[in-house]
Amino acid sequence: MKKFDKDKLIIGAAGPVLALVSSFVLTVLVLLATGLDPIEPIRLMIENAGYSDVQVLIINYAGTLYLAALAVAIGFRMNLFNIGVEGQYRLAAMVSALVGAAVELPGPLHILLIVVVAIATGALWAGIAGVLKTTRGVSEVVSTIMLNAITTSLVAWLILPKNFGVQPEGSNDLTTGQIAESGWFPGIDMGAGAGEIYGFTFVALALGVVYWFVLNRTRFGFDLRATGESESAARASGVDAKKMILTAMLISGGLAGLAGMPILLGESHTYSLAFPVNVGFTAITVALLGRNHPVGILFSALLFAFLDKASSTLDIEGYPKEITQIMQGIIVIAVVVSYELVRRYGLRRQQQKVGEELAAGGALKTDKEVAA
């Protein structure tokens, strides 16, 4: 039976806890410095989150963030920084919406087609960065940033009415056309006025379980983590490091492509200019705060969804909504600083334990010599 490691548990939890506590304290100080009540906005958000319709919004947005954060986490476990999740998510949502609106199939097949197109598009877009890294040594950070910029221009071009876009009559919005009802993913109706929880949100949770199982209970997951720890050591053990890098980028991109499915299949049924943005960038913080663990990512996604959706009434009460953006930015800084502090503490604690074990072993040897 595996021995319970109390130190490992404490160090694992210390990072997120320290980040959240320090970010809360810093947010309070920032609000005090601007002359605002530091407690009232938080109270208002908690009160707003008590309404059933806001709770549904939080759950739905958390599902989107969860999928995007899993995509980021796959890269992190390989020591890759896939900063292009935003571009992969948006391009996949648009292309799958175009395909979904262009065909009409029996329900399950229609949904499956849209999902497969989304996965393939996201994987293809991330695969470009993977190929550049494995063949030319181009940093995935640089290539994915550039691909994000290309995505913005490509989506803007594709959605023009003269290309593939549709402009509804009497509206300035541009869309990809409406997906037939056979391509809608059923959700759970939470009652009058509360709205519907997207059905794909539960698929996101299931993928979190798959993510954990693959990384921790399969040979592929071991190879992936080993390559992330040390490419040279992985190669020495027979792992094709370049193949693992490319595979990780493809999987990361595929998951990023799925991040738009809860909204596309559950509510909008089209891609438009109103489709959520900055999901991929927020997902980076969600994955970091959740320490790339599916359970930690889940709670982190719920926190960021709460900050986004529960702040909708702050401006009505006289508080700028940007308060939540300040809080999210502070969390990013707090995560980086606190995790580094915890990492250094963990190294010191590990060295201390090794010293204690060596000292105990030396003392035991001395006792045996005396007894002899």
Side-chain angles (χ1 to χ4, degrees):
M1 185 176 179
K2 190 176 180 179
K3 186 179 179 181
F4 177 73
D5 192 339
K6 183 177 70 174
D7 285 343
K8 185 177 181 181
L9 177 63
I10 293 173
I11 291 173
V17 172
L18 182 59
L20 291 175
V21 172
S22 58
S23 61
F24 174 78
V25 173
L26 289 172
T27 301
V28 168
L29 293 176
V30 169
L31 292 176
L32 283 173
T34 57
L36 296 173
D37 186 332
I39 303 300
E40 185 64 11
I42 298 173
R43 188 195 68 79
L44 289 171
M45 285 193 290
I46 293 174
E47 182 180 297
N48 196 27
Y51 296 105
S52 57
D53 58 334
V54 178
Q55 291 170 358
V56 169
L57 289 174
I58 290 172
I59 292 172
N60 285 338
Y61 187 49
T64 297
L65 288 178
Y66 189 67
L67 283 168
L70 287 179
V72 175
I74 284 285
F76 281 154
R77 296 306 293 266
M78 264 290 295
N79 204 22
L80 297 170
F81 195 177
N82 182 10
I83 205 172
V85 167
E86 175 70 12
Q88 295 149 21
Y89 143 79
R90 290 179 60 199
L91 186 62
M94 182 178 192
V95 173
S96 60
L98 281 171
V99 173
V103 301
E104 188 168 351
L105 300 169
L109 290 178
H110 199 170
I111 294 171
L112 180 62
L113 174 64
I114 295 171
V115 170
V116 169
V117 170
I119 294 173
T121 304
L124 174 65
W125 209 238
I128 296 173
V131 170
L132 289 173
K133 184 174 181 65
T134 54
T135 60
R136 297 296 180 185
V138 178
S139 168
E140 75 281 359
V141 175
V142 175
S143 58
T144 51
I145 288 175
M146 296 299 100
L147 286 167
N148 279 343
I150 295 171
T151 298
T152 301
S153 299
L154 182 59
V155 168
W157 180 79
L158 288 172
I159 206 169
L160 290 175
K162 66 179 182 179
N163 296 319
F164 299 99
V166 176
Q167 185 171 5
E169 187 176 351
S171 172
N172 292 325
D173 197 10
L174 296 175
T175 77
T176 54
Q178 190 79 359
I179 296 174
E181 193 169 347
S182 57
W184 299 6
F185 200 104
I188 299 178
D189 189 356
M190 301 305 292
E196 187 178 85
I197 295 177
Y198 303 148
F200 212 85
T201 298
F202 300 98
V203 176
L205 295 176
L207 287 173
V209 176
V210 173
Y211 165 87
W212 175 86
F213 180 82
V214 170
L215 279 183
N216 296 280
R217 292 291 183 270
T218 66
R219 173 60 188 269
F220 171 79
F222 173 80
D223 290 346
L224 189 146
R225 289 184 286 113
T227 307
E229 291 291 332
S230 172
E231 285 189 33
S232 57
R235 281 194 295 267
S237 62
V239 177
D240 188 338
K242 289 187 176 182
K243 180 181 177 181
M244 292 303 300
I245 290 171
L246 180 58
T247 302
M249 286 300 295
L250 290 172
I251 295 174
S252 180
L255 281 171
L258 288 177
M261 294 302 98
I263 301 170
L264 181 65
L265 300 179
E267 181 182 353
S268 68
H269 311 302
T270 186
Y271 183 92
S272 70
L273 299 179
F275 216 79
V277 296
N278 294 326
V279 169
F281 298 122
T282 304
I284 295 172
T285 309
V286 171
L288 284 172
L289 184 61
R291 295 192 71 103
N292 303 318
H293 190 283
V295 176
I297 292 173
L298 174 61
F299 286 110
S300 183
L302 286 169
L303 170 64
F304 275 79
F306 163 78
L307 291 175
D308 186 82
K309 301 303 179 184
S311 62
S312 58
T313 59
L314 286 183
D315 51 350
I316 300 175
E317 301 293 336
Y319 293 93
K321 279 188 64 177
E322 287 73 19
I323 288 174
T324 57
Q325 295 177 5
I326 293 172
M327 293 176 70
Q328 291 178 12
I330 290 175
I331 289 174
V332 174
I333 299 172
V335 163
V336 174
V337 175
S338 62
Y339 280 15
E340 177 61 19
L341 291 175
V342 170
R343 185 188 70 82
R344 293 184 180 183
Y345 169 79
L347 288 175
R348 288 198 301 270
R349 180 58 183 156
Q350 188 176 16
Q351 291 169 354
Q352 182 183 356
K353 287 178 68 176
V354 170
E356 290 173 353
E357 290 174 0
L358 289 174
L364 182 61
K365 183 178 180 180
T366 303
D367 289 344
K368 289 181 178 180
E369 290 175 349
V370 171

